[in-house]
Each structure stands twice: as C-alpha cells, then as structure tokens.
C-alpha cells in the first residue's frame, strides 16, 4: 500500500502512484493542448493492464480523473475497453 500526497492510502503499487502524481502535476502546468494530449496518451499507454485498479482506487482515481479530462474520444474508448473486457469475465 502506498500513501499519496493527499494522505490517502492506495492499493496501487507505489511506483504507479508516484508516476501518476508526477504526471498529473506536469499536466496541470501545461498550457499547450497538444502537449497535454501527448502526455495523456503516454500515461494511458503506461497504465495498460492497470486500468481497473487505478480507476477504482480512492487515491489514484482522482489523479486519473484530471488526466482523462484531457483525453480525446479515441483515448477514452481505448481506456474504457479494459472495463468491457473485465465485465465479460463475469458473464
């Protein structure tokens, strides 16, 4: 379990929490929309296979929410595909 800068305990690996904390801070400092889009793309690629855990964690979901606000439709659909695939496992 990892502690975040907001003092929330996270079930996500500490290195992933630190990464999301760093990139969400960097994202907030960017003014250029293209740079933001590229950063979001890199983050979503890095999170492949961890989407559910990151999205359902109290600490990391808040950071993810900020980043996903800058995602385009294609990026959102790609991210949400992980949820559809997980749901299919329970049918």
């Amino acid at each position: 379990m990892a502690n975040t800068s907001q003092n929330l305990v996270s079930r996500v690996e500490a290195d992933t929490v630190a990464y999301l904390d760093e990139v969400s801070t960097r994202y907030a400092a960017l003014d250029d929309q293209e740079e933001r889009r590229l950063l979001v793309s890199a983050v979503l690629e890095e999170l492949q296979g961890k989407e559910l855990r990151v999205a359902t964690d109290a600490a990391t979901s808040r950071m993810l929410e900020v980043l996903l606000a800058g995602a385009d439709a294609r990026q959102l659909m790609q991210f949400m595909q992980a949820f559809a695939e997980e749901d299919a496992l329970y049918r």
Side-chain angles (χ1 to χ4, degrees), residues 4-10 12 17 20-21 23-25 27-28 43 47 51-70 79:
T4 69
S5 60
Q6 299 171 348
N7 293 322
L8 295 171
V9 176
S10 176
V12 175
V17 173
L20 284 170
D21 192 34
V23 296
S24 58
T25 299
Y27 179 86
V43 170
L47 293 179
E51 296 94 345
L52 289 168
R53 182 172 293 260
V54 170
T56 58
D57 184 77
T60 56
S61 65
R62 294 174 186 198
M63 293 179 262
L64 183 62
E65 181 180 359
V66 170
L67 294 165
L68 288 178
F79 182 79

